[in-house]
Amino acid sequence: MLKRLALLSVIGYLTLGVVCLGATPVTPAVGYNTLPYDLPAVGSYTLPSIQAAADGDVIDRKAQPLKLHQIYDAADKYTLLGFIYSNCGDVNGCPLSSYVFYKIKSEMQRDPVLASRLRLLSLSFDPERDTPEVMDLYGKNFDYAGPKGEWRFLTTDSEETLIPMLTDYKQDLQREMTVNGEPGTQISHVLRVYLIDPQRNIRNIYSVEFLHPDIIINDLKTLIQQEESSQQPTAKLTYANNKYEALQQQAIQLRKGKQTDLHALANNPPLGLPDLSKEIVNGLTPEKIALGKKLFFDRRLSLNSTMSCAMCHVPEQGFTSNEIATAVGLEGRSVRRNTPSLYNVAYAETLFHDAREDSLVQQVWAPFLARNEMANPSVAAVVNKIKGLKDYQNRFESVFNKPAGMENIGDALAAYQQTLLSADSPFDRWHFAKQSAEQAGMSKDAQAGFKLFTGKARCASCHLIKEDSALFTNQSIHNTGLGYQRSMGIKPAKKKVELAPGVFVEVDQSIIDSVSEKPAADVGHYEITQDPADRWKSQQPPAK
């Protein structure tokens, strides 16, 4: 109880500005402050249905069993659902969700429409510790927000009951493990809050950068206005009827599959790839690859123990982040470029879009130290953190015969990335193995595309295809014209904006500019060489 009260005190201080946790300043998310831009007028935009909101068995703070749909169906209300756990120590995680809910609950005291049309649900990630009694105590901390409006604090009877809901709502989480391999008290997860309409459809999903009471209230008022003004039911725009299939990501506990022997893969690359260099192959061992993989997925290697390499280089998305234009780093800080894929990076002669690095061993320290990525203050901070983690004890000594240090941390991570090989595609089987198009799964459109690629379009003059392998690169840097266009501020009058996968609208560029941060200048390889001839050039990575 004292821990929760202390946590709520931190939330209160956050409204005053930057909070210091130890010696490290933490910038509060936008939800704690006034929005730095004006919101669009209520009713000036639409919020199409994204997907149906799933059901599940829950327990309220009085130990009463309920169904989520039973709650959604009551009293013709919209629902704001957030997943939390009471022991969360990330001020821009669960405490942010609770703070935003508290601010909305306070607004309900002044706005009777808001109080009558919205309910708040906080559902625990951690049923083992967040019993109904604990959720009752946690909820009482927010009772002073006022009597008007509904805010329920829910849990489940077990993690087994909870996991299907996490899967349906695409809420990935990972429990921190103790030295003995037992589940710890801390849970890592990506914060999402769902706005659900009375027909059980999700109408918006808020992440850290967009979780703000003013945005949510604006969206709710827009939905209510559209509901009241509509004389006929509006056709639902869903992912399904726009021929979009969302990635079916599962909670870690449900993921199953056969583990790949990455060391064997590196020694015998799949069809369509050349052999790795002897230097790379001779430097790989199963133990080094396993250590690098552990580092790659470890969120503790960021400043506040929330970001791992895998959160930008997402395995299910080709070790990139292909559902957003630019990656999002620590505390929602935007990165100015798209995340490069790590598939076949072992063959790359230069790294990063601006080709500023030529060694995977050295490359890892740029994201470790970048303020808008993992935000560590120094090399020593990362090295000392790893040395202090008991589950890394003796791991580096076993692999490298010496403790963790700048070079062997990079070496281990590089070893894992060098085994991420992708080929043996329908094209490889058709072109290199000489299988029939039908056997290989090479469609007629793909065959026509290859003819154009190697012929009239001349794509293959840069995206090289060799006799027995293809990396589709000449390992050079090029100016494609896009960098120049952006830096000169050349923009179309209107821009197609994707509100949700498969749902697009045309928006005036002036409106986008009025609510957007000015993009950072990006002159590509020129930033590295300062040679005017290198302006707007970027590298051409290996790809399959």
Side-chain angles (χ1 to χ4, degrees), residues 267-315:
N267 279 275
N268 186 24
L271 175 69
L273 290 180
D275 290 338
L276 292 175
S277 70
K278 288 184 178 180
E279 181 184 3
I280 289 177
V281 172
N282 292 339
L284 294 176
T285 66
E287 294 76 19
K288 187 192 289 187
I289 295 166
L291 177 57
K293 182 178 180 181
K294 179 176 174 63
L295 293 166
F296 188 85
F297 288 92
D298 197 334
R299 301 185 189 209
R300 295 171 297 176
L301 303 192
S302 63
L303 175 64
N304 63 0
S305 300
T306 60
M307 291 290 299
S308 70
C309 304
M311 292 183 72
C312 288
H313 298 278
V314 184

Side-chain angles (χ1 to χ4, degrees), residues 346-481:
Y347 301 98
E349 295 178 6
T350 56
L351 303 162
F352 295 106
H353 289 294
D354 54 20
R356 66 183 181 271
E357 270 288 0
D358 62 3
S359 166
L360 270 176
V361 175
Q362 298 165 182
Q363 171 272 335
V364 298
W365 291 99
F368 272 150
L369 303 181
R371 180 187 173 277
N372 58 352
E373 294 187 58
M374 298 174 81
N376 290 291
S378 66
V379 172
V382 180
V383 173
N384 291 335
K385 179 179 270 193
I386 291 173
K387 286 181 176 179
L389 295 171
K390 293 185 178 180
D391 47 326
Y392 284 101
Q393 201 166 43
N394 298 323
R395 290 289 294 267
F396 281 85
E397 288 81 356
S398 174
V399 174
F400 296 102
N401 296 316
K402 58 183 178 180
M406 182 178 184
E407 185 174 355
N408 55 23
I409 290 170
D411 195 358
L413 275 161
Y416 172 62
Q417 293 173 79
Q418 285 161 346
T419 67
L420 301 176
L421 305 180
S422 173
D424 196 15
S425 66
F427 166 77
D428 295 309
R429 295 190 288 272
W430 174 72
H431 186 71
F432 297 119
K434 306 305 180 184
Q435 292 182 5
S436 68
E438 187 175 355
Q439 274 183 304
M442 189 73 170
S443 69
K444 290 184 178 180
D445 285 345
Q447 293 174 62
F450 178 70
K451 185 177 180 180
L452 187 62
F453 187 91
T454 55
K456 187 176 181 180
R458 300 181 61 191
C459 306
S461 60
C462 292
H463 301 278
L464 302 183
I465 301 173
K466 296 185 177 180
E467 186 176 342
D468 58 356
S469 64
L471 293 174
F472 295 101
T473 179
N474 59 7
Q475 303 284 4
S476 297
I477 57 174
H478 300 276
N479 180 356
T480 63

Side-chain angles (χ1 to χ4, degrees), residues 65-121:
L66 295 162
K67 289 278 192 181
L68 272 179
H69 279 185
Q70 183 181 344
I71 300 173
Y72 296 161
D73 292 345
D76 196 34
K77 289 186 178 182
Y78 288 84
T79 301
L80 198 62
L81 170 66
F83 290 86
I84 64 164
Y85 71 104
S86 62
N87 284 315
C88 182
D90 179 1
V91 293
N92 287 337
C94 305
L96 168 63
S97 172
S98 296
Y99 176 79
V100 170
F101 277 38
Y102 163 72
K103 295 292 286 184
I104 293 173
K105 180 74 159 28
S106 299
E107 187 63 27
M108 289 178 177
Q109 313 312 304
R110 296 183 287 274
D111 188 335
V113 173
L114 197 61
S116 66
R117 294 305 311 276
L118 179 65
R119 71 169 60 86
L120 310 173
L121 300 183

Side-chain angles (χ1 to χ4, degrees), residues 17 31 180 220 269 386:
N180 299 323
L220 180 66
I386 291 173

Side-chain angles (χ1 to χ4, degrees), residues 61 183 200 234 265 387 448:
R61 59 200 283 188
R200 308 177 190 166
T234 303
L265 185 68
K387 286 181 176 179

